[in-house]
Amino acid sequence: RNLLLPDGVPAERQWARFYVKIYRAEGLPRMNTSIMANVKKAFIGDNKDLVDPYVQVVFAGQKGKTSVQKSSYEPLWNEQIIFTEMFPPLCKRIKVQIRDSDKVNDVAIGTHFIDLRKISNEGDKGK
């Protein structure tokens, strides 16, 4: 027996694909409100306070992300991220984070955790 597996998890598990579909985001905040952004706006009329959002999904130690939607408060992706992991997974939740893409440092706008126990049925098929 494998002592690292929790009680109730079978020693023999199959590989499965987990699909996470990212549709869209709404009502994102203005992000470029720093002093330098205001100086650029004043001198050269650069009005780029829109975000460049993308979604990063973390599941079972794996990361996936959508494309970056330039200058958008209401981005539309309709993209899917696929993870390959053993079933049932030992990970109990999926982390979904919307981020603002930046040349220097990407900034997290919002984070949500999806509890797999709340969206999966009991049983060996997990339907």
Side-chain angles (χ1 to χ4, degrees):
R1 284 243 176 244
N2 187 341
L3 297 177
L4 298 177
L5 288 175
D7 288 338
V9 175
E12 296 294 323
R13 298 186 298 151
Q14 295 182 7
W15 287 98
R17 286 194 183 124
F18 295 84
Y19 295 85
V20 179
K21 180 86 179 209
I22 306 296
Y23 292 101
R24 64 183 184 169
E26 297 175 346
L28 299 180
R30 295 176 184 264
M31 296 299 290
N32 296 335
T33 57
S34 67
I35 294 172
M36 286 308 294
N38 289 333
V39 168
K40 266 176 86 174
K41 198 182 298 181
F43 282 105
I44 53 178
D46 187 9
N47 190 15
K48 292 195 176 191
D49 50 357
L50 291 172
V51 294
D52 298 326
Y54 67 94
V55 176
Q56 178 178 300
V57 181
V58 180
F59 173 65
Q62 304 171 63
K63 283 185 185 177
K65 68 179 191 175
T66 64
S67 61
V68 175
Q69 300 294 313
K70 294 288 185 186
S71 302
S72 177
Y73 284 125
E74 296 190 357
L76 180 64
W77 287 284
N78 282 327
E79 296 178 24
Q80 126 179 315
I81 300 169
I82 304 170
F83 297 102
T84 302
E85 180 58 36
M86 303 285 287
F87 185 84
L90 297 180
C91 181
K92 302 242 187 277
R93 61 187 189 170
I94 298 173
K95 178 181 175 183
V96 180
Q97 189 171 61
I98 190 160
R99 301 178 64 84
D100 180 22
S101 179
D102 191 57
K103 291 176 187 163
V104 179
N105 189 23
D106 293 0
V107 177
I109 299 171
T111 303
H112 183 74
F113 292 94
I114 300 172
D115 186 345
L116 292 177
R117 293 169 294 187
K118 291 184 178 178
I119 63 170
S120 178
N121 290 332
E122 297 286 328
D124 61 345
K125 301 278 188 219
K127 291 182 181 179

